Amino acid sequence: MEFREISDDQWKFIKPHLPPQPITGRKRADDRKVINGILFVLITGCRWGDMPAIYGSQATAWRRLKRWSEEGIWNRIMESLRDSAYQNGKFSMDVVCVDSSFIETKKGEKAPHTTVIKKGKA
């Protein structure tokens, strides 16, 4: 997949879902630039250290991705995108495709555990 920076229309859609800038203290680094950096790493598969400097600090991008994931920001953006596409007739629940992988086990073998359980927790 080829990386492309987010367009003005995409930015107009994303911006209202982002947390507001802090009232006091230091302002956040440019959200659009940081999001482009995050997308560059995720789409190209490069290491964070190889993110181009034009997108700011790779540490900032990584922390922003992590924090916004924990806060549910990315989920809200995706839900809004889904709802908007559905309302505009560009998305239908008539056909849904999920990409996944299957690993066949030999007859009589137990399936490998796919989840990690920490000791003392179930």
Side-chain angles (χ1 to χ4, degrees):
M1 181 176 225
E2 182 183 332
F3 169 73
R4 290 188 192 131
E5 291 187 352
I6 55 177
S7 68
D8 290 339
D9 288 338
Q10 291 168 331
W11 177 241
K12 285 178 193 173
F13 184 86
I14 292 170
K15 190 174 180 179
H17 301 288
L18 302 180
Q21 286 281 354
I23 297 170
T24 59
R26 189 175 178 183
K27 300 284 185 196
R28 276 194 320 262
D30 183 294
D31 290 328
R32 185 173 182 172
K33 196 167 23 170
V34 172
I35 290 173
N36 277 318
I38 291 168
L39 292 173
F40 181 88
V41 171
L42 296 179
I43 290 170
T44 65
C46 73
R47 299 175 305 156
W48 286 102
D50 294 333
M51 184 183 89
I54 60 170
Y55 301 124
S57 163
Q58 63 259 19
T60 298
W62 181 85
R63 282 193 306 266
R64 187 93 45 100
L65 172 65
K66 185 177 184 320
R67 186 173 62 245
W68 285 359
S69 293
E70 291 168 353
E71 294 173 3
I73 303 294
W74 302 114
N75 286 338
R76 286 196 292 274
I77 292 170
M78 292 304 293
E79 288 168 2
S80 181
L81 180 61
R82 179 201 60 213
D83 294 344
S84 175
Y86 186 75
Q87 290 171 359
N88 293 327
K90 296 180 180 178
F91 178 76
S92 171
M93 292 302 288
D94 295 336
V95 178
V96 178
C97 178
V98 177
D99 187 12
S100 65
S101 298
F102 294 93
I103 301 173
E104 194 172 326
T105 60
K106 294 181 181 176
K107 189 173 182 180
E109 287 187 9
K110 291 184 178 180
H113 292 286
T114 57
T115 57
V116 177
I117 300 174
K118 293 182 181 179
K119 289 182 180 181
K121 294 184 179 180

